[in-house]
Amino acid sequence: MSGSPDDEKLEELRQKKMEQLQDRAESQGEGSQEAAKQQAEAQKKAVLRQHLTDEARKRLNTVKMSKPQFGEQVERQVVSLARSGRIQGKIDDDKMKQLLKELQPDSKSFDIQRR
């Protein structure tokens, strides 16, 4: 019964249709994820624009160019501070320098002691 040519064609059509539906679902899922990423990035930029002076933004962009991961960490920290309401006014260049020093990982140094 399942060996008849009509059943085989029907099964083949079902398989193709299922693949098309899966492809469509995956592409829509990727599209919505991409849209969510873009929206989150736009919100982050708006918060940074609102809470950083031009000089502080320039310094942060310079840091991001030289150390992308560290720059992203600083951005996340500023955004979280802003959302929690712990930033009064705008962060100027001096405050940005202080924040960068606080967040900068300790240099890997060691002390040699002679006995």
Side-chain angles (χ1 to χ4, degrees):
M1 278 100 213
S2 66
S4 73
D6 290 338
D7 288 342
E8 289 175 8
K9 287 182 183 179
L10 186 61
E11 186 61 34
E12 200 173 301
L13 287 173
R14 284 182 185 153
Q15 188 67 27
K16 285 182 183 179
K17 186 68 172 177
M18 197 62 158
E19 288 174 4
Q20 288 174 352
L21 290 173
Q22 287 176 347
D23 289 343
R24 190 178 305 151
E26 287 176 3
S27 66
Q28 286 177 352
E30 291 171 2
S32 65
Q33 287 177 348
E34 187 65 31
K37 278 184 182 179
Q38 289 176 353
Q39 185 177 3
E41 187 69 25
Q43 287 176 349
K44 180 174 76 168
K45 286 183 180 189
V47 168
L48 291 173
R49 206 174 305 118
Q50 181 182 0
H51 291 284
L52 296 178
T53 63
D54 290 336
E55 294 83 22
R57 257 199 322 264
K58 286 177 187 176
R59 183 170 299 278
L60 182 58
N61 286 335
T62 304
V63 168
K64 278 181 62 175
M65 281 191 240
S66 63
K67 299 177 182 178
Q69 292 175 339
F70 182 61
E72 290 292 326
Q73 177 189 358
V74 172
E75 280 185 348
R76 286 192 303 267
Q77 183 69 27
V78 170
V79 169
S80 67
L81 288 171
R83 288 188 176 156
S84 67
R86 294 191 294 182
I87 295 178
Q88 277 71 34
K90 286 193 168 198
I91 295 177
D92 61 357
D93 195 38
D94 293 331
K95 288 181 184 176
M96 179 56 74
K97 286 180 188 178
Q98 182 182 1
L99 183 63
L100 289 171
K101 282 183 182 177
E102 289 175 10
L103 293 176
Q104 190 172 19
D106 295 332
S107 61
K108 296 176 183 171
S109 64
F110 49 91
D111 295 328
I112 298 175
Q113 296 178 352
R114 295 186 178 174
R115 295 182 201 195

